Amino acid sequence: MATSELPRRRDLDYFDDDHSHQRDHLTHEHGSPGHSHVHSEESLRRIVNRLSRIEGHIRGIKTMVQESRSCPDVLVQIAAVRGALDRVARIILDEHLTQCIARAAEEGDIEAEIEELKTALDRFLL
């Protein structure tokens, strides 16, 4: 696979800035028993689509390594994947703050939610 065939860093930034959420929501259980987070189908679809594209990009990098492609070319592609992962993390964090933390505050469970977020951020930022 030629370097030109792999998406460039800017090509991985396909998230539309439409933060609107559909009325139909999906629920998934979170780390705490009985604690659920609700996210729109559209939001989950966008995140999963981004992760699928990143997955494909990583397969392209693997092919580059197997073909003994230029180290600088491989590093540039790795940097693009890192940037794309950072953008996904930012989307997830943004939604968590605007939806999950806000909901926990309304329900009076903000302290536990903030502690859980701190623990996750400690691991994420290492």
Side-chain angles (χ1 to χ4, degrees), residues 21-91:
H21 298 283
Q22 295 177 349
R23 288 187 179 150
D24 297 330
H25 289 87
L26 298 180
T27 302
H28 66 272
E29 290 302 313
H30 203 262
S32 308
H35 182 98
S36 63
H37 289 234
V38 180
H39 298 280
S40 71
E41 284 187 47
E42 177 64 19
S43 171
L44 294 175
R45 184 192 61 75
R46 282 193 315 256
I47 290 169
V48 168
N49 284 345
R50 275 182 170 257
L51 291 171
S52 294
R53 291 187 74 174
I54 292 167
E55 182 180 30
H57 200 148
I58 290 171
R59 281 193 304 272
I61 294 170
K62 180 180 175 184
T63 300
M64 290 176 72
V65 170
Q66 290 170 332
E67 294 174 351
S68 297
R69 298 288 300 279
S70 153
C71 293
D73 288 346
V74 172
L75 290 172
V76 166
Q77 296 307 317
I78 291 171
V81 167
R82 286 165 115 182
L85 280 172
D86 286 345
R87 286 187 292 278
V88 169
R90 174 69 170 104
I91 292 165

Side-chain angles (χ1 to χ4, degrees), residues 85-126:
L85 280 172
D86 286 345
R87 286 187 292 278
V88 169
R90 174 69 170 104
I91 292 165
I92 291 170
L93 177 60
D94 181 61
E95 287 196 6
H96 186 71
L97 291 171
T98 59
Q99 295 176 24
C100 304
I101 296 286
R103 190 168 21 278
E106 289 173 5
E107 295 170 358
D109 193 27
I110 189 75
E111 293 83 14
E113 191 69 32
I114 288 175
E115 282 306 313
E116 192 174 328
L117 178 59
K118 283 181 184 180
T119 300
L121 286 174
D122 283 344
R123 288 185 170 178
F124 176 74
L125 295 173
L126 289 180

